[in-house]
Amino acid sequence: MKALFTPFAIGDMQFEHRVVLAPLTRMRTEIGDVPGELMVEYYRQRASSGALLISDATTVTPHAVAYAGAPGIYSAAQVEGWRKVVDAVHGKGAKIFLQIWHPGRQAHPANSQGMAPVAPSALKSEEMAAIRGANGIEEAPLPVPRALETAEIPYIVGQFKAGAELAKLAGFDGVELHGANGYLPDQFLQDGSNQRTDAYGGPVENRARFMLEVVDALVSVFGPKKVAVRLSPSGQFGTMSDSDAVGTFGHVAKALNRFDLAYLHIVEPRIRGYLDLHEGDATAAKDLRALFKGPIIAAGGFDGAKAEAILKEGSADMVAFGRHFISNPDLPERLRRDLPLTPYDRNTFYGGDHQGYTDYPFAS
């Protein structure tokens, strides 16, 4: 039997296979950053019995939005939209976690009701935001963010808690903190983006404080085995760097053990955003496996063979697929039966309508 298709349990959640839908920013919401029927159909298509799905990155505030069309979890309309998604996924016998998100310095004022982005320090990301322009979605450079005052940080933590409460109201099975890819928790964590001198800066114990406070707030809402964290230890996206990544992420992996998380979601080093950097052995999950005591999901450039290999070597318990799941809504069945995979079209990854979103074929 393939390792991908052996059962696995996380707390009281039983999974029939280990093929996970990765969190993917698809920018297909309706007015008000509300999930609509198009998103309901997208998630319904990719749900299967005993599967785990992770949602689009979902912001906790309208004042911090990186990409036009990305969903939120701060309004009643968004809760109702997400409830329809959750119901569709549950109707297929699957579970779904909400990836909860604050982009920090990667938010753009044009998407954020004119509000300037905030960050641990006034250091600019060189990435581009996606904003609505005269010709549809356009790229725009990010401004220099405003450094958060120490007294403001509990309010941001509170936004995450409020978002988790709404996610629970919508029926999600849990939440995954987006602590990867150069967004706010990652910005606090890594010393290339955090030059603070207060209790949230300096040594790694201080730089990890924000992330751990957010996790604590999420666990206070959902309880143990219902909260997860995503990290990108080798990530470059978001103009990220750390002078001692091994020490920084090793500290975090060990510190997260006290929360009894559902899983730790680790992005492997061969991926930068949606682009391949290089081929080679997956190392990030392997390195943190010795430090983190709970389940691990590995993500980043996996195909069926690479997924089998990392599961069999014991470095991960489940594997998240992104691009292949975009173009193969029945990806678990295709991997189970060794069927050919439909190629994906990068041009339709972000924004737009059903094309490249819900019109990919199922295997006959």
Side-chain angles (χ1 to χ4, degrees):
M1 180 181 293
K2 293 181 179 179
L4 274 171
F5 297 97
T6 55
F8 188 68
I10 297 175
D12 61 358
M13 294 178 287
Q14 303 292 322
F15 299 105
E16 296 178 19
H17 61 76
R18 304 180 187 224
V19 180
V20 178
L21 173 64
L24 299 165
T25 298
R26 303 305 309 278
M27 297 158 53
R28 270 12 187 244
T29 59
E30 297 182 349
I31 294 173
D33 297 337
V34 174
E37 291 303 320
L38 190 62
M39 285 181 64
V40 172
E41 179 59 19
Y42 171 80
Y43 282 102
R44 179 188 290 115
Q45 288 180 353
R46 285 153 185 80
S48 60
S49 179
L52 173 61
L53 285 67
I54 308 170
S55 80
D56 294 54
T58 303
T59 187
V60 295
T61 170
H63 298 147
V65 180
Y67 311 113
I73 189 69
Y74 52 80
S75 75
Q78 290 163 352
V79 171
E80 290 306 308
W82 276 123
R83 182 178 287 120
K84 293 175 183 177
V85 170
V86 171
D87 288 347
V89 170
H90 287 170
K92 297 284 288 289
K95 304 290 186 184
I96 182 168
F97 273 45
L98 178 84
Q99 190 185 68
I100 200 163
W101 182 45
H102 190 303
R105 69 182 186 179
Q106 295 200 73
H108 194 283
N111 298 329
S112 308
Q113 300 182 354
M115 299 291 287
V118 296
S121 302
L123 299 171
K124 182 178 180 294
S125 169
E126 297 303 325
E127 301 296 342
M128 302 290 282
I131 67 172
R132 288 188 175 89
N135 299 311
I137 301 296
E138 300 175 355
E139 288 192 336
L142 292 162
V144 176
R146 178 179 66 81
L148 285 162
E149 299 290 338
T150 305
E152 294 179 281
I153 294 176
Y155 175 74
I156 303 291
V157 174
Q159 289 180 320
F160 277 99
K161 183 177 181 179
E165 290 169 342
L166 293 179
K168 192 172 185 179
L169 188 63
F172 281 96
D173 299 290
V175 290
E176 176 184 288
L177 173 63
H178 198 343
N181 295 4
Y183 300 118
L184 190 60
D186 201 20
Q187 291 162 29
F188 269 95
L189 180 61
Q190 299 201 52
D191 62 16
S193 51
N194 184 344
Q195 296 183 355
R196 301 178 73 90
T197 57
D198 63 358
Y200 293 88
V204 66
E205 293 81 6
N206 286 359
R207 287 182 280 114
R209 189 184 307 275
F210 176 76
M211 181 180 290
L212 297 178
E213 287 181 350
V214 173
V215 173
D216 190 47
L218 300 179
V219 171
S220 74
V221 175
F222 270 91
K225 297 296 185 187
K226 303 291 185 183
V227 174
V229 176
R230 192 179 212 222
L231 300 175
S232 51
S234 301
Q236 300 175 20
F237 187 83
T239 320
M240 297 304 296
S241 65
D242 191 89
S243 62
D244 180 18
V246 172
T248 293
F249 286 93
H251 172 84
V252 169
K254 290 186 287 187
L256 289 171
N257 283 322
R258 72 174 186 259
F259 295 107
D260 195 17
L261 296 180
Y263 58 84
L264 183 60
H265 190 174
I266 302 169
V267 182
E268 297 297 324
R270 57 174 167 257
I271 291 296
R272 182 187 185 280
Y274 68 91
L275 300 175
D276 294 303
L277 285 178
H278 57 78
E279 290 300 319
D281 293 335
T283 57
K286 183 187 300 183
D287 294 341
L288 297 183
R289 170 62 102 182
L291 304 176
F292 181 71
K293 305 308 179 185
I296 286 179
I297 296 177
F302 282 97
D303 56 20
K306 290 175 182 175
E308 281 290 310
I310 199 169
L311 292 176
K312 288 178 178 176
E313 77 178 22
S315 296
D317 301 291
M318 305 178 86
V319 178
F321 294 80
R323 292 167 291 176
H324 289 310
F325 230 140
I326 285 174
S327 57
N328 297 273
D330 55 349
L331 181 64
E333 187 64 16
R334 289 181 187 243
L335 293 175
R336 187 194 304 271
R337 298 167 55 195
D338 293 319
L339 298 177
L341 300 184
T342 302
Y344 48 80
D345 177 8
R346 293 186 189 276
N347 295 323
T348 58
F349 278 1
Y350 306 117
D353 54 19
H354 70 284
Q355 295 181 1
Y357 191 59
T358 59
D359 63 347
Y360 279 109
F362 286 73
S364 59

